[in-house]
Amino acid sequence: MRENRPAMGHSRAGHGRNRLREIAALTAAAVALGVAAPLASATAAERHTTAPLAAPASATTEPGPGLDELENLEEEAAFAGLEEALRLITEIPDPVLAKGRAATEQWLQARLGDTAGEGGGAIQPMKFSAGGCARGILLAVGSNILAIGKIYKVKKAIDKLGGVKKVVKKIQDKKKRGKKSFKKAIMEVFEESGTGIGAIAAEILGVDQVIKHCW
């Protein structure tokens, strides 16, 4: 019996060490899972997050240089294009803007009479045959350059300033009196709405697609 005791002691010690190794392994696994789970969740969230209303970083910093091109146009043509662009923005219904980019695209496509674009399909600019300014804004919205929220803010600012005609007249007056650039005059007029969106208004009107199609 005495000869067996050391063996039993070794057996118990071995069992204890195995148990400790199992506990250590389980603890390590639990820690690993605890770290991996949040990372997996964050990655999944990034994969499934869509930002249809967000504009690229280049379109959210400063007004684009596109408005500088208006300085080379005859004044009458420049202000005619400006009025057309602002009027189109005010005509997009609030419920359409509230539904987001796809609904806004569909509304603009309907405005163009583009039956090929029904059902929210891909934008096909070569099939458009009318409404140049609407086409330009549609292309900018579809390429995710123009955020719908910004269009809505500019629309509301135009209302606060008394409508498109008054906004255009204010911009004309600022250019004549202060010899300001189109960009500067547009920013200052929209700042008068008290909404702090002067830069946003200049940004929207200065997008390449808008400049090319509304003027």
Side-chain angles (χ1 to χ4, degrees), residues 6-22:
M8 290 176 65
H10 284 302
S11 176
R12 288 174 182 169
H15 178 72
R17 284 194 296 271
N18 289 337
R19 182 60 180 163
L20 287 174
R21 280 197 293 268
E22 290 176 3

Side-chain angles (χ1 to χ4, degrees), residues 2 10 29 45 72 79 104 110-112 115 122 129 133-134 136 154 157 161 164 177 189 196 214:
R2 290 180 181 176
H10 284 302
N72 301 321
F79 281 107
T104 303
R111 175 67 179 267
L112 290 168
T115 56
S129 58
C133 196
V154 169
L161 291 168
V164 173
R177 289 201 306 267
V189 168
C214 293

Side-chain angles (χ1 to χ4, degrees), residues 105-158:
E105 286 180 25
Q106 289 176 1
W107 186 89
L108 289 166
Q109 285 171 337
R111 175 67 179 267
L112 290 168
D114 177 32
T115 56
E118 289 180 358
I123 297 173
Q124 302 176 35
M126 296 306 294
K127 292 189 176 182
F128 296 156
S129 58
C133 196
R135 180 190 311 172
I137 293 178
L138 171 60
L139 292 172
V141 169
S143 59
N144 214 19
I145 293 175
L146 287 188
I148 304 302
K150 292 181 179 181
I151 295 176
Y152 179 81
K153 288 179 180 179
V154 169
K155 178 181 178 181
K156 292 306 167 188
I158 293 171

